[in-house]
Amino acid sequence: MSLRASAAHLNPVYRLVAVAGLTIVAASLHHSASSSHSARWRARHPSHKAIAMRVLIRTYDFDDLGGSGASMRTVADFLQACGDETWAPRGRETLERLRAWSPGVVLGQQWATEEASMWAIALGVPFVMFVRGPGQYEHFMPQCDLVVFNASSQLELALPAIGRTPAAVLHPPVLPADYATDGGGSHITLIGTGALKGADRFLTLARKFPDHPFLWVTDEPSEAPPSNVEVCPRTPNMRSIYARTKLLVMPSRSESYGRVAIEAAMSGIPVVASDLPGIREATAGHAVLVADEREWVTAVRNVLANIEPHRRAALALAALRDPSVELEALRSRLQALVDAGRRRPTLSLCMTVANEAATLAKAVASVREVVDEVIIGVDTRSSDDTAAIARTLATDYFEYTESSPPDFRRMRNRAMERVPTDWAIVLDGHEWIENAHLIRPALETTAWSIEIRTLFEPDANRIPGLSFPFPRIHRRHVRFVGAAVHEEVSTPVARRSRQIDIRVWHERKPGSAATTRGAEKSGAELDVLRAAWQERNDRRALFYLANGLRESGRLEDAVEAYSTYLEAPNFEEEGWQARLYLARCHAARQAWPAAKQCFEQAILAWPERAEAVIGLGHVLLAKGEARHAAAWFRMAAGLPEPSDCRLFVEVPAYRWQAWHGLALALDRLGDYAGALEAETEAKARGAGAWADVNIGRWRALSGHGTGNGAGS
């Protein structure tokens, strides 16, 4: 099957065949083509306007002697010769200067890709990434309007990652005027350094042909060569190298394309090369390819013994690579991008659900206006109308059978593997998004995952029990990892952005799904977490194991698990959270000295957090130290809710819990008027209906001066 046919369902693939290259020396920040090269290109394109496009180029190797730098210079020169203006800044540039220049498109490659992508986002213009080797696109995963690969084989490898992103192939450009000689050289030549370029194989060949001169073009010879090998440093004048070359060898172990084979062909120099996909594509049947390492000596000897047919094959390869047509195709593609403007990022909703009939439609409706695809997988064990509802809502519906407890990594990844768009937002069937209109602007980022605010299990007054940022919006290549029952994402922290104004409300309704999940969390899920800790030393699993034991009332086991975890926390904030929960376990067991010590340690570690301060207040209250407790509750009441935490913030602690604790302490001190005032404040801040009972009691007591105190 052809590349076009195999990729047709995913990608508009624009085939830009191998094009010729130029060596250009830029005299200023703005790229200036040499007059001879410009004249050559303009002779072919006399009708272009003075400036049709402004193309901003970001690459850190623009002035390199060969490779990707030379290829990008060729593209820049061709565009200038067609009447376009290009700018390839050498150093750092301010956004103000870039914006003032007003480019229509940004090109980037290699290690400059991320910066170039950021420029395009800030300027609001299309971004084109040039990929020069395997894995480069996957390494950066930028938001692209077009991805240009240097070989069809590289594009095929990247198809799972690029999805629907438009892609093209532009082979590294080679121009005869820069490389052509009379082909009368005498050396067997290698251009390159190290094992990947096959330097060791080259030196072995030199030893097998001691009477033949060899030429090694390298700045870093890996070892002392035999006496018949001349080492020559890299040079901008590659014609001088090919003028001395009779046969080019490419004993590479890895090549994304093999540009030097085309350069040599311009002089009719035969090529013997490793049989690699990139080299096969570059040479198009016009070179001798060696698949078995043991056949190198034979292959070289055979070519030297009958070289003329191989010279003719090289010249045929040179004739095959006409630059003008394919560079013109690239330019037309760039012009279309400039005319169309920056491509809108695409987004899928990803869901895997079971027994969510009561809430599934609300979840989908909360984002339906901003997503392009709705992917819903339904567990075959679901017993309500979830499957029927999902079929009416999904653009991509599938079924699966999940284990109990569920493997959340596997479950999430089932849906992520079906994502055809740039981005995916992951929701449960009992969740819904607030401020979905902010999602689209948030996708204009170089991040791989976007953390949004999760509001967990709100009460009757819509105050969530927990608030925490969690990555919910992901580039399509992101996958879920970690312990099976508490999944994480593969995105490094440095590759995440945060949009806390986008909120996801997590509120599971009572029913079979909630009942099943509760049983799993206190039963089989603990076994999965324990196995992850004991068998793989997964400390994240240990943290969640301790949490599960605490929530299940197994306090002694939880104390042991938290204590073990705290010997080497994963990161500082999670360590603080574990110490807070350990203190609560001690308090629940009425181990007051241990509880007091743990709460105090948590306060010292993070004095801005109210949860530990409130916990210490309740311990002091239980010990009969109401006056000291009141002081701690007052301190907690003045602390603002933090907004920059990685883990859980207990929202009620910053709304009403400190005021309620203060009311209890003042009640113990006989200050019923103060207790009434504090509980009234707690009620105004969202305390439950029980606060009304306390307010009534303290109102009565403050009038009579006696009473039995308050509850809750």
Side-chain angles (χ1 to χ4, degrees), residues 18 209 257 262 361 494 540 619 672:
F209 294 88
Y257 180 62
I262 312 303
R540 185 80 164 164
V619 168
Y672 304 125

Side-chain angles (χ1 to χ4, degrees), residues 240-520:
S240 66
I241 299 298
Y242 292 117
R244 303 177 61 192
T245 298
K246 181 177 185 178
L247 173 66
L248 181 75
V249 292
M250 299 176 63
S252 307
R253 292 180 171 86
S254 176
E255 286 285 356
S256 63
Y257 180 62
R259 172 192 171 99
V260 293
I262 312 303
E263 295 175 359
M266 300 302 163
S267 298
I269 298 171
V271 175
V272 179
S274 297
D275 189 4
L276 299 172
I279 294 178
R280 284 199 298 272
E281 183 173 346
T283 56
H286 297 291
V288 175
L289 302 184
V290 180
D292 188 336
E293 185 169 353
R294 296 169 296 183
E295 298 300 320
W296 267 97
V297 173
T298 301
V300 169
R301 181 177 289 117
N302 289 343
V303 171
L304 292 176
N306 187 22
I307 201 166
E308 286 308 316
H310 299 287
R311 288 187 187 276
R312 291 193 295 272
L315 291 172
L317 176 59
L320 185 65
R321 305 308 189 191
D322 178 6
S324 58
V325 174
E326 302 309 325
L327 278 177
E328 189 63 67
L330 173 62
R331 182 178 181 275
S332 296
R333 188 74 179 126
L334 296 179
Q335 184 67 66
L337 292 179
V338 172
D339 293 343
R342 186 169 174 83
R343 182 175 67 90
R344 180 180 67 87
T346 52
L347 175 67
S348 294
L349 169 62
C350 272
M351 307 182 78
T352 45
V353 297
N355 293 319
E356 302 282 13
T359 53
L360 181 58
K362 179 180 180 180
V364 175
S366 70
V367 295
R368 193 65 188 89
E369 294 302 313
V370 297
V371 300
D372 302 283
E373 304 287 345
V374 177
I375 302 169
I376 304 179
V378 177
D379 191 338
T380 56
R381 300 175 304 157
S382 188
S383 58
D384 63 5
D385 292 331
T386 297
I389 296 170
R391 286 190 181 95
T392 67
L393 298 173
T395 58
D396 180 5
Y397 171 87
F398 68 98
E399 293 183 349
Y400 64 95
T401 301
E402 190 49 72
S403 59
S404 180
D407 184 331
F408 286 106
R409 301 166 306 179
R410 179 176 60 210
M411 197 165 66
R412 305 283 194 215
N413 289 336
R414 281 190 179 108
M416 286 297 295
E417 287 163 1
R418 304 172 77 96
V419 172
T421 52
D422 300 309
W423 292 87
I425 180 169
V426 177
L427 290 182
D428 289 334
H430 50 274
E431 296 178 328
W432 61 277
I433 293 290
E434 180 184 1
N435 294 333
H437 65 283
L438 299 176
I439 293 176
R440 282 287 178 191
L443 302 183
E444 291 287 2
T445 176
T446 58
W448 291 353
S449 292
I450 302 172
E451 296 178 346
I452 64 177
R453 179 70 66 191
T454 297
L455 302 175
F456 189 82
E457 301 297 357
D459 61 18
N461 292 325
R462 304 303 298 163
I463 296 177
L466 298 174
S467 171
F468 54 93
F470 192 77
R472 294 295 194 118
I473 306 173
H474 311 285
R475 291 302 307 276
R476 64 188 304 276
H477 73 292
V478 171
R479 292 295 181 265
F480 287 83
V481 296
V485 294
H486 276 285
E487 80 281 12
E488 305 169 51
V489 294
S490 58
T491 307
V493 173
R495 286 286 188 177
R496 302 181 187 186
S497 66
R498 184 174 290 185
Q499 297 289 335
I500 60 174
D501 290 336
I502 305 171
R503 305 182 184 96
V504 54
W505 289 85
H506 178 106
E507 42 188 330
R508 191 186 293 274
K509 301 295 184 183
S512 61
T515 301
T516 299
R517 186 72 189 109
E520 289 171 341

Side-chain angles (χ1 to χ4, degrees), residues 526-538 541 545:
L526 298 180
D527 296 332
V528 173
L529 290 167
R530 184 177 289 104
W533 158 239
Q534 293 177 345
E535 297 171 11
R536 300 192 301 275
N537 198 34
D538 185 340
L545 172 62

Side-chain angles (χ1 to χ4, degrees), residues 614-638:
I614 292 171
L616 179 59
H618 282 293
V619 168
L620 294 172
L621 200 59
K623 293 177 64 180
E625 301 178 31
R627 192 171 303 280
H628 288 156
W632 287 105
F633 287 129
R634 284 193 177 95
M635 179 186 297

Side-chain angles (χ1 to χ4, degrees), residues 451 453-454 466-470 488 498 540 543-544 547 565 570-578 581 606 609 611 642-650:
E451 296 178 346
R453 179 70 66 191
T454 297
L466 298 174
S467 171
F468 54 93
F470 192 77
E488 305 169 51
R498 184 174 290 185
R540 185 80 164 164
F543 174 73
Y544 281 111
N547 290 348
Y565 171 83
N570 285 319
F571 56 94
E572 186 176 6
E573 186 172 337
E574 191 172 82
W576 179 87
Q577 204 98 52
Y581 295 157
W606 204 341
R609 293 294 294 265
E611 294 94 330
S643 60
D644 59 348
C645 301
R646 285 183 62 184
L647 288 182
F648 313 121
V649 173
E650 298 176 5

Side-chain angles (χ1 to χ4, degrees), residues 72-238:
M72 189 64 88
R73 290 198 305 273
T74 301
V75 171
D77 180 75
F78 178 81
L79 293 174
Q80 280 207 334
C82 292
D84 302 315
E85 187 174 349
T86 66
W87 181 19
R90 302 309 198 272
R92 297 178 64 87
E93 275 299 336
T94 64
L95 188 59
E96 289 73 17
R97 276 173 51 84
L98 299 177
R99 187 173 283 116
W101 193 66
S102 190
V105 63
V106 177
L107 314 185
Q109 67 179 12
Q110 306 283 62
W111 293 107
T113 296
E114 184 171 7
E115 185 180 18
S117 177
M118 293 172 65
W119 285 1
I121 290 171
L123 297 170
V125 300
F127 174 62
V128 179
M129 178 185 181
F130 285 74
V131 176
R132 307 299 187 183
Q136 286 187 10
Y137 178 78
E138 294 86 340
H139 180 83
F140 293 102
M141 289 296 293
Q143 185 72 43
C144 294
D145 295 83
L146 177 66
V147 186
V148 180
F149 292 85
N150 71 342
S152 299
S153 57
Q154 299 302 312
L155 171 56
E156 288 187 279
L157 289 173
L159 280 176
I162 64 176
R164 293 176 179 173
T165 304
V169 172
L170 175 65
H171 296 110
V174 178
L175 188 69
D178 291 316
Y179 302 100
T181 69
D182 61 8
S186 59
H187 289 70
I188 298 175
T189 300
L190 169 69
I191 301 172
T193 302
L196 288 180
K197 293 296 183 181
D200 55 325
R201 294 171 174 173
F202 173 74
L203 296 177
T204 298
L205 281 174
R207 295 183 182 99
K208 294 291 185 179
F209 294 88
D211 297 328
H212 205 101
F214 282 69
L215 182 62
W216 187 9
V217 182
T218 177
D219 290 330
E220 300 176 0
S222 53
E223 60 180 278
S227 59
N228 61 328
V229 176
E230 177 185 348
V231 177
C232 177
R234 295 177 65 200
T235 171
N237 182 16
M238 288 302 295

